[in-house]
Amino acid sequence: MNNKVNYKLYHGNSVYLSLRAVKNAISSNTEKQNLITIEADAQKAQQIIDSIQNQGLFVSKRVFLIKRLYKNKDKDSLIEKLLSLLNEQFPDDIYFWEDQKIRSTTKYLKFFKSNDSVEEYTQLNKRNFLSWLDQELKENDLKADETTKRLLAQRTNYDPERCSNEIKKHKLNNSEEIKESDLDILTTDTLEEDIWKLIDAINTEKKERSIEILEKLYSQNTDPNFI
């Protein structure tokens, strides 16, 4: 690594994906034992600057994770000082994470973008969720046919965090492929899926099926007003 500080900004309206990405980046850093996390939304601006500038006596390199800087009440002056610091030469790595999408017109984002040091994670929709799911399965050395993948997406309500957790659960099943029958055992339907099934059962006048789904919803302590 050169003498210039290594820095990167992670942001976007998918909080789970952006936070996971920055954690993965840090975990791959060989100096992660010197990680210093700064909750920038709750600290004073000068305290944050001092934490970065003050070098430890016996630590040659540190890794900073600065979270929610853009929510600091003095963010304008703080960002000005920090961007100036990032151009200085010192050995630390600094990762910035925002739990929101930062506007492209801000000086904050423009700085990182001009240095090719920004990653944005947008909320997945039904169209691109399956592409993301393909990659997620690949990274976990798992396979699934198209029907199973669509069913897994539906049962997790197209939520990447819940879907990732379900994939980990199937990974523990010691199988190289997720099958539809596995979903029936390990992955329960989401509330949204159950509601749609209830509507379909009512519309098709399937009384017994309607009661079955309704009882399931009540057993899950679902708010009656919501139903």
Side-chain angles (χ1 to χ4, degrees):
M1 178 178 166
N2 56 30
N3 290 328
K4 203 169 186 179
V5 62
N6 180 35
Y7 51 82
K8 200 162 200 176
L9 168 65
Y10 294 77
H11 75 119
N13 54 23
S14 178
V15 176
Y16 168 72
L17 291 179
S18 62
L19 184 58
R20 188 177 74 162
V22 72
K23 286 182 175 180
N24 287 342
I26 291 172
S27 67
S28 65
N29 194 311
T30 56
E31 302 296 333
K32 62 185 176 183
Q33 65 270 20
N34 298 325
L35 175 65
I36 300 171
T37 300
I38 297 177
E39 304 291 343
D41 58 331
Q43 291 191 27
K44 293 182 178 179
Q46 192 56 51
Q47 185 180 357
I48 295 171
I49 297 297
D50 290 343
S51 297
I52 296 173
Q53 287 184 313
N54 292 337
Q55 292 285 333
L57 292 176
F58 305 105
V59 179
S60 60
K61 180 179 178 180
R62 299 168 299 173
V63 178
F64 285 96
L65 172 57
I66 301 179
K67 302 169 71 176
R68 294 178 292 271
L69 172 66
Y70 209 70
K71 287 186 175 179
N72 189 286
K73 65 178 182 179
D74 297 318
K75 68 175 184 292
D76 292 336
S77 61
L78 179 55
I79 288 173
E80 192 74 33
K81 291 178 182 178
L82 278 175
L83 297 189
S84 177
L85 280 175
L86 292 181
N87 285 318
E88 296 183 7
Q89 294 185 347
F90 57 104
D92 299 324
D93 290 349
I94 306 181
Y95 297 88
F96 295 80
W97 174 72
E98 300 292 345
D99 61 354
Q100 60 182 304
K101 175 182 170 64
I102 304 300
R103 296 193 308 274
S104 59
T105 56
T106 63
K107 184 176 182 180
Y108 186 36
L109 186 62
K110 283 181 178 180
F111 174 86
F112 289 97
K113 193 170 183 179
S114 66
N115 290 281
D116 196 25
S117 297
V118 60
E119 290 189 16
E120 179 182 349
Y121 291 83
T122 58
Q123 203 72 261
L124 298 175
N125 55 42
K126 292 184 178 181
R127 179 176 297 178
N128 58 24
F129 188 90
L130 290 176
S131 297
W132 172 84
L133 178 54
D134 280 334
Q135 184 62 33
E136 198 75 5
L137 290 170
K138 184 178 180 180
E139 290 178 1
N140 284 274
D141 298 318
L142 288 171
K143 297 178 181 179
D145 60 33
E146 292 302 316
T147 300
T148 302
K149 283 188 286 189
R150 291 185 182 278
L151 186 58
L152 176 58
Q154 291 171 2
R155 289 198 174 189
T156 56
N157 203 23
Y158 299 89
D159 182 337
E161 181 174 10
R162 182 175 176 185
C163 192
S164 292
N165 290 334
E166 290 300 319
I167 288 174
K168 291 176 184 177
K169 190 190 300 182
H170 287 281
K171 181 76 173 177
L172 295 174
N173 204 28
N174 295 321
S175 175
E176 295 181 355
E177 182 177 3
I178 300 177
K179 298 180 180 179
E180 190 172 340
S181 57
D182 297 327
L183 297 183
D184 293 334
I185 298 172
L186 295 175
T187 303
T188 58
D189 286 345
T190 63
L191 176 61
E192 181 177 313
E193 285 298 305
D194 282 334
I195 291 293
W196 282 113
K197 288 178 181 178
L198 176 61
I199 293 172
D200 288 340
I202 292 173
N203 287 338
T204 54
E205 299 183 355
K206 295 179 179 178
K207 184 177 179 180
E208 291 184 1
R209 178 59 175 157
S210 299
I211 293 174
E212 177 186 334
I213 299 172
L214 192 58
E215 288 178 343
K216 178 182 177 183
L217 290 168
Y218 276 126
S219 71
Q220 296 171 339
N221 296 318
T222 306
D223 184 354
N225 291 321
F226 179 81
I227 299 174

